[in-house]
C-alpha cells in the first residue's frame, strides 16, 4: 500500500463530512460522486438539486443518494449561518443585510457550514482563484488558536517506475506566503512537519532550501534560510532539520556527502521548505510536469478547521485526492 492509498484508507475510516461549493464544475461533481461511492467521505454539494442531477446526466454518472445537495437560498440553516457571519464580520462594518447576502454565496456558505460544525472541511478552487479561497477561509473559519501564519503545502507523490525514490514528499510554501522572513519561514517549516506526520505517520526530515549548501555562498537570501533553521531548532529541538541546502544535497545521499551535508539528513529529506513562493511554485510545477510527480494541493495549514484549495487546472482525480486529504486533516483537528 503506497502513501496515497494509506491516506484514502484513513479517510474512509474517519467518515468525515466534506462540503464542496462548486457543484456546477464537472470535475468536482465527478470526484464528489466517486468519493461517496468509495466511502472516502460523506459529501455535501452546494447547489440546486435539479441542476446537479442534470449535470450528472450530461456527463454520464449517477449521483449517489448519500450525497446531500443544499441550495443556500432555501436552506433551513441560512438564518443561523447569516447570523454567524454577522457575528464574525460586524467589527469590519458588515451589516445584518450584508451578512445575509454573503451567506448565500456558495463559497461563504460552505465555509460557514464548516465553522458552525455542520461539515468537517471544505474543498474549492476549481473555478476561482487561490486568493478568493484563502480570503474566505481566513475570514470565516479563521486561524487555529495560537497560529499567526496560514501557509500551504503540496503533497508530492513519487510512485512512477522512473522515480529513483518513491513515496510522499512535502513541498512548502508553494501557494500562499510570497516572501516569508526568517521567522515566517521557520513557522512554515514547523507547520509542514506537523502536516507531514499527520498525513503519512512518518518522521519528518526537514530541508530548508537555498541556492547554496553549508555556506558555499554568502548572500542575504542564504542568511535568511540559515536564520530560519536556527529558529526551528530553538522552538522545536525535537525536529530533524538542516539548511541552507541545495535540493540535490537534501535529496541525494551521495551528493549530500560530497557537499559536506551528510548529517543530520544525509540526503534523505522528505520535507522541502522553499525560501519564497516564487521558488516553491516553480519547483513543484517542474516536479509535476517534467518529473511526473502527482501534486496534491495547495493544502492549507494553520486554519482552525480544514479548507483547501484546488488548482483551476485540476483533474477530477486531483479533487478526489484533496477530499481524502481534507478528511484526514479533519480527523487530526479534534
Amino acid at each position: 500500500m503506497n502513501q496515497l492509498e494509506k491516506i484514502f484508507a484513513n479517510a474512509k475510516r474517519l467518515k468525515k463530512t466534506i462540503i464542496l461549493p462548486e457543484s456546477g464544475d464537472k470535475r468536482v461533481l465527478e470526484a464528489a460522486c466517486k468519493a461517496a461511492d468509495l466511502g472516502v467521505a460523506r459529501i455535501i454539494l452546494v447547489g440546486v438539486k435539479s441542476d446537479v442531477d442534470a449535470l450528472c446526466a450530461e456527463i454520464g454518472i449517477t449521483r449517489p443518494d448519500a450525497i446531500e445537495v443544499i441550495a443556500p437560498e432555501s436552506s433551513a440553516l441560512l438564518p443561523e449561518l447569516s447570523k454567524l457571519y454577522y457575528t464574525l464580520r460586524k467589527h469590519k462594518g458588515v451589516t445584518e443585510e450584508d451578512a445575509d447576502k454573503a451567506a448565500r454565496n456558495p463559497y461563504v456558505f460552505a465555509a460557514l457550514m464548516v465553522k458552525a460544525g455542520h461539515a468537517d472541511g471544505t474543498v474549492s478552487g476549481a473555478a476561482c482563484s487561490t486568493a478568493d479561497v484563502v480570503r474566505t477561509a481566513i475570514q470565516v473559519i479563521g486561524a487555529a488558536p495560537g497560529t499567526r501564519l496560514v501557509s500551504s503545502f503540496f503533497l508530492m507523490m513519487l510512485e512512477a517506475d522512473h522515480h529513483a525514490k518513491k513515496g510522499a514528499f512535502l513541498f512548502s510554501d508553494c501557494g500562499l506566503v510570497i516572501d516569508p522572513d526568517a521567522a515566517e519561514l521557520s513557522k512554515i517549516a514547523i507547520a509542514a512537519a506537523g502536516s507531514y506526520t499527520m498525513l503519512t505517520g512518518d518522521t519528518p526530515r526537514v530541508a530548508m532550501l537555498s541556492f547554496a549548501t553549508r555556506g558555499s555562498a554568502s548572500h542575504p537570501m542564504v542568511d535568511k534560510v540559515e536564520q530560519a533553521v536556527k529558529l526551528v531548532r530553538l522552538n522545536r529541538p525535537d525536529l530533524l532539520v538542516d539548511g541552507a541546502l541545495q535540493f540535490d544535497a537534501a535529496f541525494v545521499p551521495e551528493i549530500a556527502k560530497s557537499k559536506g551535508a551528510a548529517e543530520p539528513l544525509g540526503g534523505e529529506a522528505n520535507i522541502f521548505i522553499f525560501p519564497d513562493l516564487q521558488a516553491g511554485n516553480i519547483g513543484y510545477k517542474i516536479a509535476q510536469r517534467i518529473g511526473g510527480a502527482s501534486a496534491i494541493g495547495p493544502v492549507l495549514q494553520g486554519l482552525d478547521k480544514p479548507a483547501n484549495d484546488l488548482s483551476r487546472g485540476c483533474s477530477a482525480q486531483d479533487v478526489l485526492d484533496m477530499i481524502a486529504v481534507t478528511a484526514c486533516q479533519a480527523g487530526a483537528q479534534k
Side-chain angles (χ1 to χ4, degrees):
M1 183 181 290
N2 63 35
Q3 286 289 2
L4 187 56
E5 290 169 338
K6 291 178 183 178
I7 289 171
F8 270 73
N10 190 31
K12 292 176 184 179
R13 179 184 59 81
L14 291 166
K15 301 185 185 304
K16 295 298 180 179
T17 298
I18 306 301
I19 185 166
L20 309 172
E22 296 169 321
S23 61
D25 188 288
K26 295 178 182 180
R27 299 163 297 175
V28 173
L29 191 54
E30 181 181 338
C33 292
K34 191 166 185 179
D37 281 337
L38 294 174
V40 174
R42 174 176 172 255
I43 301 296
I44 300 175
L45 293 173
V46 181
V48 178
K49 182 178 179 297
S50 59
D51 292 342
V52 170
D53 289 342
L55 187 56
C56 282
E58 180 184 329
I59 61 179
I61 59 176
T62 301
R63 177 179 62 84
D65 293 336
I67 293 180
E68 184 178 1
V69 182
I70 300 179
E73 295 81 359
S74 59
S75 172
L77 294 171
L78 183 60
E80 174 195 343
L81 299 183
S82 297
K83 183 178 180 180
L84 175 58
Y85 189 84
Y86 172 69
T87 301
L88 293 170
R89 303 295 296 164
K90 63 182 179 181
H91 69 287
K92 292 292 186 179
V94 171
T95 66
E96 292 182 353
E97 183 180 354
D98 295 333
D100 181 72
K101 181 179 179 180
R104 297 169 188 265
N105 177 286
Y107 297 95
V108 177
F109 185 88
L112 287 167
M113 287 280 285
V114 175
K115 179 71 173 179
H118 299 298
D120 299 303
T122 180
V123 174
S124 61
C128 71
S129 69
T130 291
D132 290 336
V133 172
V134 173
R135 185 184 307 110
T136 300
I138 291 175
Q139 289 180 351
V140 176
I141 295 173
T147 300
R148 292 189 175 183
L149 183 69
V150 177
S151 58
S152 74
F153 66 88
F154 276 83
L155 192 64
M156 308 297 292
M157 309 300 299
L158 276 60
E159 301 291 351
D161 291 342
H162 68 272
H163 291 138
K165 282 187 180 181
K166 292 181 171 57
F169 299 85
L170 191 150
F171 286 14
S172 187
D173 183 347
C174 307
L176 193 55
V177 184
I178 295 175
D179 188 17
D181 59 25
E184 291 171 329
L185 202 58
S186 71
K187 289 182 175 68
I188 291 169
I190 291 169
S195 295
Y196 186 82
T197 300
M198 178 270 295
L199 286 172
T200 69
D202 292 339
T203 301
R205 302 171 63 87
V206 185
M208 310 285 282
L209 301 179
S210 183
F211 63 83
T213 296
R214 293 286 176 83
S216 63
S218 178
H219 191 277
M221 292 173 68
V222 181
D223 295 341
K224 179 181 82 168
V225 176
E226 292 176 341
Q227 181 61 30
V229 173
K230 292 178 182 177
L231 290 171
V232 173
R233 288 173 174 163
L234 176 66
N235 292 300
R236 286 291 305 276
D238 58 305
L239 285 181
L240 197 61
V241 60
D242 198 13
L245 295 173
Q246 292 163 289
F247 185 87
D248 55 359
F251 192 70
V252 183
E254 294 80 7
I255 294 177
K257 185 176 181 180
S258 69
K259 291 189 175 184
E263 296 295 337
L265 298 178
E268 297 288 357
N270 48 31
I271 298 171
F272 302 91
I273 307 300
F274 291 82
D276 56 40
L277 184 62
Q278 185 164 238
N281 195 269
I282 292 169
Y284 104 79
K285 288 184 183 293
I286 290 174
Q288 179 187 32
R289 301 302 179 183
I290 294 180
S294 297
I296 303 173
V299 183
L300 303 185
Q301 54 188 9
L303 291 170
D304 192 36
K305 295 181 180 180
N308 285 321
D309 187 27
L310 296 163
S311 168
R312 279 173 284 182
C314 66
S315 65
Q317 184 63 49
D318 293 332
V319 182
L320 178 61
D321 293 345
M322 186 65 90
I323 291 170
V325 167
T326 305
C328 290
Q329 280 185 304
Q333 292 179 303
K334 297 179 182 177

